[in-house]
Amino acid sequence: MLVNGNDILLKAREEHYGVGAFNVFDPGMTEAVISSAEETGTPVIAQIIDWNPDAKGFAKKSAAEAKVFMDMLVYRAKIASVPVCIHLDHCTTYEGCIRAIKAGATSVMIDASMKSFEENIEITKKVIEAAHACGVTVEAEIGHVDGHEGDTTGKLYTTPEQAKSFYEATGVDSLAVAIGTVHGIYREAPVLQYDLISELREAIPAPLVMHGASGLVEEQYAKCVERGITKINFATYMMLAGAKAIEDQAAAAKQADQKMFFPGYYMAGVEGMKAIIKEHIGYFKTKAVK
Ligand SMILES: [Zn+2]
């Protein structure tokens, strides 16, 4: 069933377990994420991005493609046997958040973490006003999670004082915090600030979100969840696992001198992603729904 962020995250925060937020850019990723959740009986967050015909890479979709994809995703979420939230990841504009809500997203992230604290509060409040009127929940970010393209800023952790004043000014539903992870592939081992997570959980009642969570080890996820992380964004390693499964399939077919057809590669990619998604649902200690 299709639900919003609070429907999944408030219970998870209360009962101290994590919920994975996995990116979905195409039907294969959608099926991998939602069927993994169904097979494990757990709630899940399917993350989209702000599609744009002029964008490069994964964000590039024509208006028609974006519409077809979103209609498919919303339908797949509705018929799922477990709660599924469709969440817009890292959107920097008010307009992008509204477009996603109109297309069927039940949760949006307004990321104004690169702006001043005051501007971040201002735009977050504006998005919340519109989103809440539609029953859609809102995630914001303070501090800064490194790793986006062209990003050269140093480490900037979120402080409990900042979190408290941001929460009091906005009433945001969930908050992405900088606690030592980075986006993408790690070049050096991350230094996670576990005590800071505990202090942040203490400071605000909104669920805490960890970005850049690919590539940590089981024990690190467990500790983050135990200390108070509720939503865990996971994309990079899931996409790498899907690609690796296809490469392996191609190599095996070549070895056996067999012809491969596109559906065979597609299915291998979906299965490769499902394996790592299910593994991480276990690491995040996501509780099954009754
Ligand atoms: Zn992120």
Side-chain angles (χ1 to χ4, degrees):
M1 74 220 67
L2 180 59
V3 302
N4 71 22
N6 280 351
D7 293 331
I8 291 178
L9 295 175
L10 292 181
K11 183 168 184 282
R13 182 186 187 275
E14 190 71 26
E15 298 183 15
H16 277 275
Y17 61 87
V19 178
F22 304 96
N23 281 87
V24 293
F25 301 149
D26 56 49
M29 291 169 83
T30 301
E31 197 47 41
V33 170
I34 299 183
S35 64
S36 292
E38 287 180 324
E39 287 167 29
T40 50
T42 54
V44 78
I45 298 167
Q47 293 200 148
I48 57 167
I49 47 180
D50 189 17
W51 317 117
N52 175 355
D54 301 320
K56 289 202 170 74
F58 302 136
K60 186 182 183 71
K61 267 198 203 321
S62 70
E65 249 185 316
K67 169 95 176 87
V68 169
F69 175 74
M70 282 304 292
D71 286 354
M72 184 279 301
L73 174 60
V74 169
Y75 182 69
R76 183 65 184 88
K78 280 182 180 166
I79 63 166
S81 60
V82 290
V84 179
C85 165
I86 299 177
H87 174 76
L88 174 68
D89 194 22
H90 284 290
C91 184
T92 53
T93 64
Y94 173 80
E95 292 74 20
C97 290
I98 301 301
R99 268 198 302 276
I101 293 170
K102 199 167 164 239
T106 51
S107 178
V108 293
M109 176 188 192
I110 175 70
D111 180 2
S113 61
M114 300 304 280
K115 295 200 165 112
S116 74
F117 195 70
E118 291 68 33
E119 284 175 295
N120 192 349
I121 286 174
E122 198 185 322
I123 189 168
T124 301
K125 279 170 78 172
K126 194 174 160 192
V127 170
I128 287 175
E129 193 184 354
H132 282 188
C134 308
V136 168
T137 46
V138 178
E139 174 183 331
E141 175 170 327
I142 57 171
H144 182 63
V145 180
D146 267 350
H148 280 307
E149 214 177 326
D151 184 8
T152 53
T153 42
K155 285 188 177 62
L156 203 65
Y157 299 124
T158 306
T159 67
E161 295 71 35
Q162 280 174 330
K164 195 166 187 294
S165 73
F166 189 85
Y167 178 79
E168 281 169 359
T170 59
V172 74
D173 297 301
S174 62
L175 190 63
V177 289
I179 46 103
T181 55
V182 300
H183 288 106
I185 299 168
Y186 284 105
R187 284 171 290 265
E188 53 189 90
V191 182
L192 300 177
Q193 308 293 312
Y194 297 114
D195 287 342
L196 177 58
I197 298 174
S198 299
E199 288 163 22
L200 290 166
R201 189 186 194 276
E202 192 76 17
I204 62 165
L208 302 176
V209 182
M210 178 162 77
H211 282 241
S214 268
L216 304 185
V217 297
E218 182 174 1
E219 191 211 350
Q220 291 174 308
Y221 291 120
K223 255 176 138 171
C224 288
V225 167
E226 199 184 291
R227 294 298 195 108
I229 291 292
T230 302
K231 173 173 176 273
I232 303 164
N233 285 15
F234 187 84
T236 306
Y237 280 49
M238 162 191 151
M239 295 189 287
L240 288 172
K244 170 88 167 48
I246 293 173
E247 285 162 10
D248 289 350
Q249 183 92 337
K254 198 169 179 202
Q255 187 106 32
D257 201 22
Q258 277 171 352
K259 275 248 172 299
M260 276 295 296
F261 297 94
F262 176 73
Y265 286 130
Y266 180 87
M267 283 161 67
V270 171
E271 287 307 317
M273 288 188 283
K274 277 178 75 173
I276 193 168
I277 293 167
K278 285 188 189 176
E279 186 185 16
H280 282 75
I281 287 173
Y283 294 165
F284 304 160
K285 309 256 186 304
T286 313
K287 252 197 207 170
V289 285
K290 307 274 171 329

